[in-house]
Amino acid sequence: MATPKPPVHLSRAAKAWWRQVHADFELDDHHRHLLRLACESLDQSEEARAAIAEHGAVVLDRFGCQKPSHLERKFVTLVDGSNLCRGERLWGMQV
């Protein structure tokens, strides 16, 4: 079976991963769906990582106290949602 083209909205890195996984494994439709979601999560986490690098992971609240930025919370939410932690809170943060 020919390798399906990766979704056009994916980044170059995610498209390369899509092609590599298809080259290494024979996937059913439900596997392709999960791979698409994983590629999209990869792109979102990289976007969040870049935004945190640019804007910082900590912001000052109105009282001058440090707190995690909304970008850091978004990144933690993405990681926690991936179940990579098997139910454990990876960063120990409340989101």
Side-chain angles (χ1 to χ4, degrees):
M1 179 178 179
T3 300
K5 291 184 178 179
V8 296
H9 66 280
L10 296 178
S11 69
R12 180 177 292 179
K15 286 178 182 177
W17 186 41
W18 171 281
R19 290 183 189 100
Q20 185 62 50
V21 170
H22 276 89
D24 293 344
F25 302 97
E26 186 174 324
L27 302 179
D28 293 329
D29 287 341
H30 63 282
H31 296 131
R32 269 189 289 285
H33 176 72
L34 292 173
L35 177 60
R36 180 184 57 82
L37 293 175
C39 289
E40 290 170 347
S41 293
L42 172 68
D43 285 346
Q44 289 177 343
S45 66
E46 289 303 319
E47 289 170 7
R49 187 184 321 276
I52 290 168
E54 181 179 343
H55 302 289
V58 176
V59 295
L60 298 179
D61 66 13
R62 63 186 176 154
F63 303 108
C65 298
Q66 292 183 346
K67 67 177 189 174
S69 75
H70 70 285
L71 300 168
E72 179 76 7
R73 290 191 305 270
K74 179 178 180 178
F75 178 74
V76 170
T77 300
L78 285 168
V79 171
D80 283 351
S82 70
N83 289 323
L84 292 174
C85 311
R86 294 185 212 113
E88 299 171 14
R89 308 259 345 144
L90 181 63
W91 305 107
M93 294 177 57
Q94 295 296 320
V95 274

